[in-house]
Amino acid sequence: MQNRLPITVDPIKAAQKRLDYIGHYPIKSVTRIEGLKSDIECSLSFYYDEQKLCVIAIEAEATLEQVCQRCFKPFITHIKVKNKFSPVKSDTQAEVLPEYYEPAFFNEFGEVDILALIEDEMILSLPIAPVHDSKHCEVSEADLVFGEISVDNEKPNPFAILASLKNKE
Ligand SMILES: [Zn+2]
């Protein structure tokens, strides 16, 4: 078991060695997840399946802050992703993968960017319009009956919201 997670890895070599990793990607190494509040805790396994396909199994979780699209207050949420990938060189290879694997494209160095895969999975798992649990939300269901909430607008700037709250106090 390895503790230092690779950012990029040669998945073929890693699968031949049957490598497993458990560890975390420090929050500062993650650039594409907005509102991330924790390191990404992650486990990785590299192996060959019965069909001799190289497999990258990923489980990852993290805490992040989102802005509720109903009351526009920030809230903390926990996300967890789990998926299996198989490395491919082309779209043609990706198309013939069994459907239980996602394609993971090799980069020009013959490696797969594991952190980018995790970031993609996490971004895809997020709701388009995040909202509080209704019991925590400051806008009640009753209010919603009378007002149309548009989720198409640009995300409000959380700092602007904080500033306006401060002014009210
Ligand atoms: Zn809310």
Side-chain angles (χ1 to χ4, degrees):
M1 186 75 67
Q2 321 272 322
N3 290 330
R4 244 189 109 79
L5 296 179
I7 303 280
T8 62
V9 75
D10 177 337
I12 305 297
K13 276 190 194 156
Q16 284 165 350
K17 293 183 191 159
R18 186 60 186 88
L19 291 182
D20 291 316
Y21 295 84
I22 286 187
H24 63 271
Y25 291 104
I27 186 166
K28 63 177 190 308
S29 66
V30 182
T31 53
R32 287 165 48 219
I33 301 178
E34 221 179 299
L36 189 67
K37 289 287 176 201
S38 71
D39 294 342
I40 296 182
E41 302 296 331
C42 180
S43 70
L44 302 172
S45 292
F46 297 87
Y47 57 91
Y48 281 98
D49 70 5
E50 306 81 44
Q51 299 178 67
K52 306 278 176 254
L53 280 170
C54 177
V55 180
I56 308 167
I58 295 177
E59 283 185 50
E61 52 190 295
T63 299
L64 52 88
E65 185 180 80
Q66 294 195 286
V67 174
C68 174
Q69 296 300 294
R70 203 154 52 190
C71 68
F72 299 112
K73 294 228 167 108
F75 67 107
I76 296 295
T77 183
H78 193 76
I79 45 170
K80 220 170 183 175
V81 295
K82 182 178 178 178
N83 217 338
K84 287 181 177 163
F85 299 85
S86 191
V88 295
K89 293 191 171 81
S90 64
D91 288 334
T92 322
Q93 282 188 355
E95 277 162 25
V96 298
L97 271 188
E99 62 187 18
Y100 43 85
Y101 296 136
E102 294 291 325
F105 285 86
F106 284 105
N107 66 17
E108 66 267 43
F109 309 109
E111 297 193 323
V112 166
D113 190 332
I114 301 292
L115 181 54
L117 279 186
I118 293 171
E119 286 179 323
D120 287 343
E121 284 295 300
M122 288 194 159
I123 291 164
L124 286 174
S125 79
L126 291 174
I128 294 164
V131 288
H132 276 119
D133 278 348
S134 52
K135 64 174 181 285
H136 295 133
C137 192
E138 305 216 352
V139 177
S140 71
E141 300 287 341
D143 293 336
L144 289 178
V145 176
F146 301 102
E148 284 253 309
I149 304 289
S150 167
V151 293
D152 305 328
N153 292 339
E154 275 187 350
K155 269 193 191 168
N157 177 340
F159 296 109
I161 293 166
L162 287 176
S164 72
L165 290 174
K166 267 189 188 157
N167 290 340
K168 279 185 198 163
E169 279 167 9

